[in-house]
Amino acid sequence: MSTLTNRRKLRYAPDKLDVALLMYNGLSEVWAPDECCLIIDESAMSGCQLVVRFSDKCKPGSKVRVKLGQMEPLLSEIIWRREIDADLIRLGVQFLE
C-alpha cells in the first residue's frame, strides 16, 4: 500500500484483546461511546487505523473521541475513510491531543 511508504511514525500492532471505542461527537466533554472498533494498527503519538461498521458519521474532517484499549479517550480527527464492503469501513485517525 502506498500509505505505508508515506508514514512518518512507526505503527504497532495492538494487543490481541484490545478494541477501540469511538464517540462521534468529539467535542462533547461527556464520554459516551457510539461504536466498538477493531484496531488495525496504532502509533503512540500520531494516530491509528480502525475498522468500524458503516456509518455516514465517519467522514474525513470529523472530530471524534477514540479510546484505544486502556488509554484515556483522545480528541481525534478522521483523516481518511475507505469502504471495505457494504457494512464495514476502514478509518485513518489522527490524535489531536
Side-chain angles (χ1 to χ4, degrees):
M1 252 178 140
S2 62
T3 57
L4 294 176
T5 58
N6 296 332
R7 289 195 181 135
R8 295 181 210 141
K9 307 273 187 201
L10 288 176
R11 296 287 177 131
Y12 302 97
D15 291 337
K16 288 182 181 182
L17 298 177
D18 277 353
V19 294
L21 299 178
L22 176 68
M23 185 172 86
Y24 294 126
N25 184 2
L27 302 179
S28 173
E29 295 295 323
V30 178
W31 173 242
D34 297 299
E35 295 284 348
C36 184
C37 311
L38 175 66
I39 306 168
I40 301 299
D41 62 22
E42 58 187 288
S43 172
M45 300 302 290
S46 64
C48 61
Q49 287 188 67
L50 305 174
V51 172
V52 63
R53 290 185 301 162
F54 185 87
S55 172
D56 288 331
K57 296 178 182 179
C58 294
K59 296 180 181 175
S62 297
K63 301 292 191 275
V64 295
R65 288 208 181 264
V66 176
K67 181 180 186 315
L68 297 177
Q70 301 301 314
M71 292 174 50
E72 291 296 316
L74 297 172
L75 179 61
S76 306
E77 180 178 356
I78 297 174
I79 302 299
W80 55 263
R81 164 189 163 144
R82 293 193 186 104
E83 292 184 18
I84 298 173
D85 65 22
D87 298 322
L88 296 173
I89 53 177
R90 189 169 181 159
L91 302 175
V93 178
Q94 179 179 13
F95 301 139
L96 301 176
E97 305 186 295

